[in-house]
Amino acid sequence: STQSTWDLIMSQLGELVLLIGDFHIPQRCIDLPEIFKDMLVPTKMQYVLCTGNIGNKETKEWLETLAANKNSAVFVRGDCDELPDLPETKTIKIGEFTIGLVHGHQAIPWGDLEALAAIQRELDCDILVSGHTHQNKINAYDGKYFINPGSVTGAFSTITNDVIPSFILMAIQGNQAVLYVYEIIDGKQKVTQTKFSKNGTEVQKDMPEDKKVEPVPEEKKSEEQSAQILFECLLTVSYTHLTLPTKAQVQISVVAGSLKKK
């Protein structure tokens, strides 16, 4: 059944965490890119962690619908946020990881790993998620991990003239994390994959930087199509060679924008 297939898929992925931020709506951008907005559908992630600079109340309320429940959407205050009751920092436990969340303007120089590490030590976390620079990055430093999902809208930044719209989907299972970085370059979606384990020292990239998400040829579609459709409904994410209990291997690559109302 559809539900049992979904349960199998979720058992493979673990807990799904959306890392997103620096919207600046409507101050610098009107809305998300259509490709991203079509992909991000309600209640498909267990958690939403937002690095701040949301902009308006409507955007915050929309983000809350993306998580499994409203309490699983976690926000911090950006330097441009005027929304009330947003904290400076938050920590949350997911799997075996303690994740710290901060906007990032507090780290001087902005984006500097040592400055961010000082915040990481203060929050006593394994992963520090921050924004502000509008540049997505995944770094290992002194046995901890530092993740910046970038600006999902590609909003203007005083730090760089080359802002690429991006967000990150993180799948956590125990002490393992797999990250999928979504970017829009020249109007096309690009996905890269990175994985690491708790207390590791290296970030391993499995998917080449220039790998584009390609449609699945009609002749390669099989009885696993139901699982593929569920992935499309999830986020049109690209999972390569995912092992499912029912079959040896399934390669699921979904073209950006293929998610429609089904």
Side-chain angles (χ1 to χ4, degrees):
S1 68
T2 298
Q3 184 59 47
S4 61
T5 306
W6 175 259
D7 291 340
L8 289 173
I9 291 171
M10 295 307 295
S11 70
Q12 292 288 320
L13 296 180
E15 297 183 275
L16 296 174
V17 186
L18 176 65
L19 309 179
I20 195 167
D22 286 301
F23 293 78
H24 293 278
I25 296 175
Q27 294 84 357
R28 301 185 192 179
C29 290
I30 297 173
D31 206 348
L32 277 72
E34 281 299 318
I35 293 175
F36 285 172
K37 198 161 190 181
D38 286 345
M39 291 165 59
L40 297 169
V41 295
T43 68
K44 297 300 182 184
M45 277 75 64
Q46 278 70 45
Y47 299 92
V48 173
L49 305 186
C50 177
T51 60
N53 279 352
I54 304 161
N56 58 19
K57 179 182 176 183
E58 291 76 16
T59 301
K60 181 175 183 288
E61 290 175 346
W62 172 75
L63 283 169
E64 289 173 340
T65 70
L66 300 183
N69 61 73
K70 186 175 180 179
N71 293 334
S72 297
V74 182
F75 304 88
V76 290
R77 179 183 300 279
D79 57 327
C80 298
D81 274 320
E82 297 179 359
L83 295 172
D85 304 322
L86 292 177
E88 286 291 312
T89 62
K90 290 286 287 187
T91 57
I92 184 171
K93 183 85 170 181
I94 304 176
E96 296 182 19
F97 293 93
T98 299
I99 302 174
L101 185 64
V102 67
H103 177 62
H105 65 286
Q106 303 92 333
I108 306 295
W110 292 333
D112 179 74
L113 275 177
E114 184 52 48
L116 290 168
I119 298 174
Q120 172 269 316
R121 290 190 292 269
E122 182 180 343
L123 297 179
D124 192 22
C125 57
D126 306 299
I127 300 171
L128 181 69
V129 178
S130 65
H132 189 61
T133 64
H134 295 203
Q135 296 173 301
N136 72 77
K137 289 186 180 298
I138 302 171
N139 290 303
Y141 184 76
D142 197 22
K144 306 297 179 181
Y145 297 99
F146 298 83
I147 302 173
N148 187 327
S151 167
V152 68
T153 57
F156 164 79
S157 169
T158 58
I159 300 172
T160 176
N161 293 325
D162 185 24
V163 180
I164 297 172
S166 63
F167 69 86
I168 295 177
L169 177 67
M170 178 166 60
I172 291 180
Q173 196 163 45
N175 68 351
Q176 303 289 320
V178 182
L179 288 77
Y180 299 89
V181 180
Y182 289 82
E183 300 173 302
I184 297 177
I185 299 176
D186 297 328
K188 295 181 180 180
Q189 179 186 251
K190 173 184 173 182
V191 184
T192 54
Q193 181 194 76
T194 299
K195 61 183 179 181
F196 57 75
S197 59
K198 185 175 178 179
N199 300 322
T201 57
E202 294 184 0
V203 171
Q204 179 182 352
K205 287 190 174 182
D206 287 340
M207 191 178 293
E209 286 288 339
D210 60 351
K211 182 176 178 62
K212 298 295 191 299
V213 179
E214 299 293 344
V216 178
E218 191 69 33
E219 62 271 16
K220 289 188 178 179
K221 293 181 180 179
S222 67
E223 63 191 69
E224 301 293 342
Q225 190 173 28
S226 60
Q228 180 179 322
I229 290 171
L230 285 174
F231 273 100
E232 291 185 62
C233 292
L234 177 63
L235 272 180
T236 66
V237 70
S238 175
Y239 290 93
T240 56
H241 301 300
L242 176 69
T243 301
L244 293 175
T246 54
K247 292 290 179 181
Q249 287 187 324
V250 183
Q251 179 167 331
I252 301 174
S253 295
V254 184
V255 66
S258 66
L259 176 62
K260 303 296 179 186
K261 303 289 186 205
K262 289 184 167 60

